[in-house]
Amino acid sequence: MFCVSTWLVMACAGPAVQQESGMEYARWFSILPDGSAVLHTPGGEADTLRGPFHRIVCMSSSYVGFLEAIGADSTVAGVSGLHFLGNPGINAIEAGYDAALNYEAILAVKPDLFLTYSVSSAEPPYLAKLRELGIRCATVSEHLESHPLARAEYVKLFGTFTGRRERADSVFCAVRDAYLALVQPVVTKKVLINIPYADQWFIPGGNNYMTRLIRDAGGELLGAVPGKQESSVIGLETAFRYAQEADIWLHPGWCGTREQLRSVHPLFSEFPVLEKEVWNNTLQRTPGGGNRFWETGPVHPDWILEDLTRILSGAGTDSLHYYLPVK
C-alpha cells in the first residue's frame, strides 16, 4: 500500500526523466485519440493499454481514491494493505506486499489489470511472475509528478481504464478550478515540516509536491532546496534553527499531542514553534491505521489546499478535510 513510509522513499527518488504528455499538468502518462493510455516509467519504458478494465488489483491506496472519485470503486478486485483503506464499499482481496504477494488470491479474483508503482528505474521483480501467470500489469508513475494538479489529473487515466473518461474529465476540471481559485499570491508564514523518520529528518525539495501545496497556500517550507524535487535530510541542529523561524509545524509524524512530540526527542521541548501552531494531517485516520490523506488527497489537492490556506491564513478551521490541531 502507498502509505507515508513509502511516500518518503519516493520523495527521495526523483524522476529519471520528464515526459511531454499532452495533458494539462501530468507528464508521466498520455491518452491517445483512440482512447488508449500510454504510461511512462522511471526506467524510460512506455506501456500502452486499452480498456475498459473491469477487475483491477491496486498496489497503491491512491488508485482506489481515483476510482472512488469517478464512481468506479466497484472495479477494485484486490488491494495491497486492504485493512488500511477508509472506503467501506470496497469488496476486494488482500493482494499482499511486494515480495510477499498473495499470488493465489490474486489469481482467484481473475483481474484483467494489475497496477503498481516503482521507486527506481528497475521494474518491481514480482511483475515478471504475474505476467507468467497471464495477468496484465502496468506501472503508474503518479507519485513522480511534482505539481498537485498533475497528480489529480491521473483521474483521467483511471477514467480511461474504466470507460468513465467523461466523468473523470468533469472531476478534474472541478478540482483544477477549485485549486487555482485558492492559490495565494503572497507568502505569509514559515513552515517546519515532519519529524525524524528512522532517525532521518526529511525535508521535501523546492519542486516537491508537498512544497508546492504549502507555497500555494501562502507558506514557505523551511529547508526546501530550490530546484530539487527529492527530499533532503537535515540534522537536529538545523531543525532547531528552523523551529526558531517557523510560524507553524506541519505533519509531526504519529504525534497527536504536544506531549507526544516532546517524547520523541528532548530537544523538541526547546523548539519555539512548539508553543505556536502545530497541525497534523490525521483527521481522517482509518480504523485499520491508514489515512485518507494518502487515499483521496492525490485526486483532491483542492481539499488539501483549502485546509492549508485556512490554517496558514488564520481563517476558521472548524470543518477541515484532513487536518487536526496538535494540542
Side-chain angles (χ1 to χ4, degrees):
M1 179 183 177
F2 187 76
C3 58
V4 62
S5 58
T6 311
W7 177 80
L8 285 170
V9 173
M10 291 173 176
C12 296
V17 294
Q18 193 171 46
Q19 309 291 341
E20 292 298 329
S21 69
M23 296 290 104
E24 288 185 53
Y25 294 88
R27 292 293 176 265
W28 289 85
F29 82 94
S30 56
I31 298 172
L32 302 179
D34 68 356
S36 299
V38 181
L39 305 180
H40 302 284
T41 71
E45 298 86 5
D47 190 10
T48 303
L49 298 88
R50 180 73 181 272
F53 300 101
H54 305 284
R55 300 187 62 74
I56 303 173
V57 174
C58 301
M59 291 297 285
S60 168
S61 64
S62 65
Y63 306 162
V64 179
F66 285 114
L67 291 166
E68 176 184 336
I70 56 174
D73 39 349
S74 62
T75 64
V76 179
V79 180
S80 177
L82 178 64
H83 67 285
F84 289 117
L85 289 183
N87 183 333
I90 297 297
N91 181 19
I93 55 98
E94 170 57 58
Y97 299 86
D98 298 334
L101 282 188
N102 190 339
Y103 293 99
E104 185 176 344
I106 291 171
L107 280 172
V109 297
K110 300 179 180 178
D112 48 14
L113 184 61
F114 180 100
L115 294 177
T116 191
Y117 54 85
S118 178
V119 297
S120 71
S121 59
E123 184 178 82
Y126 53 79
L127 291 184
K129 182 171 182 179
L130 287 169
R131 291 186 181 113
E132 287 178 7
L133 296 171
I135 297 174
R136 182 72 170 95
C137 301
T139 301
V140 179
S141 297
E142 159 238 345
H143 59 284
L144 297 180
E145 303 282 3
S146 60
H147 197 295
L149 290 176
R151 295 195 185 188
E153 197 164 16
Y154 278 69
V155 73
K156 297 179 182 179
L157 178 67
F158 286 87
T160 299
F161 283 161
T162 58
R164 293 171 171 83
R165 177 62 193 279
E166 186 175 340
R167 172 68 186 277
D169 286 349
S170 177
V171 168
F172 176 72
C173 287
V175 168
R176 178 200 61 204
D177 293 349
Y179 186 99
L180 294 175
L182 288 164
V183 172
Q184 302 300 301
V186 179
V187 171
T188 59
K189 295 291 178 67
K190 294 183 178 181
V191 178
L192 175 68
I193 197 169
N194 298 335
I195 60 173
Y197 175 80
D199 296 325
Q200 292 186 303
W201 194 313
F202 291 99
I203 302 292
N207 289 348
N208 188 274
Y209 165 83
M210 197 66 231
T211 306
R212 181 60 183 256
L213 278 163
I214 291 170
R215 185 166 61 246
D216 284 348
E220 175 192 349
L221 183 55
L222 296 169
V225 179
K228 189 176 181 182
Q229 182 171 348
E230 62 269 25
S231 294
S232 300
V233 177
I234 63 170
L236 276 172
E237 288 185 5
T238 302
F240 180 69
R241 187 171 74 250
Y242 293 156
Q244 292 177 306
E245 297 180 53
D247 301 297
I248 290 178
W249 192 348
L250 293 177
H251 303 178
W254 57 273
C255 300
T257 67
R258 294 174 194 243
E259 202 56 45
Q260 289 174 334
L261 258 175
R262 292 185 182 96
S263 74
V264 173
H265 196 281
L267 187 60
F268 285 8
S269 294
E270 301 177 31
F271 276 22
V273 72
L274 190 61
E275 303 307 318
K276 299 179 183 178
E277 289 193 66
V278 185
W279 291 82
N280 214 344
N281 57 350
T282 52
L283 177 59
Q284 291 199 49
R285 288 289 299 271
T286 70
N291 189 343
R292 292 278 277 178
F293 182 89
W294 308 110
E295 186 178 334
T296 61
V299 72
H300 274 294
D302 53 329
W303 293 352
I304 301 175
L305 184 59
E306 182 181 1
D307 283 5
L308 290 174
T309 300
R310 291 169 66 184
I311 290 168
L312 293 175
S313 68
T317 54
D318 294 335
S319 55
L320 300 179
H321 301 281
Y322 297 111
Y323 283 83
L324 276 175
V326 175
K327 299 181 177 180

